[in-house]
Amino acid sequence: MTTKNTLCTIILLFAASALHGQGIIEQWDYTNNSVNGVNGNAMTHVNHATNTDQTGTVYDNSYTVNRDQGYGGDVISGLGLSTGTVKAEMTVSSWNLSGTNSWFGIQFRDSANTAISSLRLQGNTNGTRVTLEDEIGQITDSNGGARSQAVGGFVSAARAATTPVTFSLTLGLDDGSYLLESSLWTTPYGGQQSGTIAGLSDATVDNFRWVATNWIAGTDFVELDQIVVSTVPEPSTYALLAGLLSLSAVMIRRRN
């Protein structure tokens, strides 16, 4: 006969399996001037001969991308994420994006290297913006309106700033949703914008790369304090886990 202790063990193991595969894919903190992530993946930035990237001692040993425009190879490939959610978050300590429509971002792509979406810090004639672009299909904004191009908002009235900003993009691969957030933002939606991206629910995030476009070499830069790419458990997963743990607690109390 299965004992209560055995049942509790089964429940806890099932709860743990519900969260299997969830968590940090990679995180770069640049401590000790290292460009290796916590899971061992090296930070490979824009591939170009004009390379003046450097690590620093300010803002937790930050990493400054300061070279000509271009793009990096796949930082991590073979992700095969077709369900759940994936999130990219960047903290930029300072920046200068003086070029016309200059930007630095993370671009998520599928196995055919087709862009699904990208998270950008982007220079603009009126300042600096955080934007969602390169979407795989038609997007809606926080008001439910169709948008043929990017959504986003201003984080600075200038194209150069030293006030740190953290911004992130969460993609829901089951329902085709997105959530764009920023610690600094002047939008009617507060610190976030959300909506849907057509085709996202059928897409598979396989890899991502870094992109720097329309930069002025030796002038434009971003000083990265931290980058985190992770998967996020669905609310239903948390609800399942909470229910299983509650059941386990009841069984333990009854046994005692």
Side-chain angles (χ1 to χ4, degrees):
M1 180 180 293
T2 302
T3 65
K4 290 182 179 179
N5 281 341
T6 302
L7 286 174
C8 289
T9 301
I10 293 173
I11 290 172
L12 291 174
L13 288 174
F14 187 77
S17 67
L19 292 178
H20 178 70
Q22 305 287 347
I24 294 175
I25 296 174
E26 192 54 278
Q27 175 175 336
W28 291 273
D29 292 320
Y30 313 110
T31 55
N32 300 318
N33 290 328
S34 173
V35 294
N36 288 324
V38 297
N39 291 326
N41 293 283
M43 172 65 75
T44 56
H45 276 297
V46 183
N47 295 323
H48 195 278
T50 308
N51 179 2
T52 55
D53 291 358
Q54 57 186 313
T55 52
T57 58
V58 183
Y59 301 109
D60 192 24
N61 293 326
S62 61
Y63 188 84
T64 300
V65 183
N66 183 25
R67 60 173 82 179
D68 203 353
Q69 63 182 2
Y71 57 87
D74 301 341
V75 179
I76 297 177
S77 60
L79 295 175
L81 300 174
S82 59
T83 61
T85 62
V86 59
K87 179 179 181 180
E89 178 180 279
M90 285 192 283
T91 298
V92 177
S93 304
S94 61
W95 67 87
N96 187 71
L97 297 170
S98 60
T100 302
N101 195 34
S102 57
W103 56 271
F104 176 84
I106 296 177
Q107 183 184 70
F108 287 101
R109 304 187 297 174
D110 61 18
S111 58
N113 294 328
T114 299
I116 295 173
S117 188
S118 68
L119 173 65
R120 302 181 181 184
L121 185 70
Q122 187 167 10
N124 182 278
T125 55
N126 295 318
T128 304
R129 292 169 53 86
V130 166
T131 62
L132 158 68
E133 296 198 30
D134 284 332
E135 58 273 8
I136 195 172
Q138 177 71 54
I139 59 175
T140 63
D141 59 23
S142 294
N143 288 328
R147 298 286 294 270
S148 60
Q149 296 182 355
V151 295
F154 285 97
V155 298
S156 172
R159 288 189 284 182
T162 57
T163 300
V165 58
T166 298
F167 51 100
S168 65
L169 171 63
T170 303
L171 300 177
L173 302 178
D174 294 313
D175 59 5
S177 65
Y178 73 85
L179 176 63
L180 184 64
E181 300 177 280
S182 177
S183 60
L184 298 174
W185 227 347
T186 54
T187 75
Y189 315 112
Q192 64 182 38
Q193 293 193 40
S194 60
T196 59
I197 303 176
L200 180 59
S201 60
D202 296 322
T204 296
V205 174
D206 184 75
N207 62 78
F208 65 92
R209 68 177 182 179
W210 319 107
V211 184
T213 297
N214 298 324
W215 282 32
I216 298 176
T219 299
D220 290 347
F221 71 89
V222 290
E223 184 180 5
L224 301 170
D225 182 35
Q226 181 176 260
I227 295 178
V228 183
V229 179
S230 61
T231 55
V232 183
E234 296 295 309
S236 59
T237 302
Y238 284 119
L240 173 63
L241 179 59
L244 290 171
L245 293 178
S246 296
L247 177 59
S248 179
V250 169
M251 295 179 66
I252 292 173
R253 285 199 301 270
R254 287 180 177 177
R255 179 173 178 80
N256 293 335

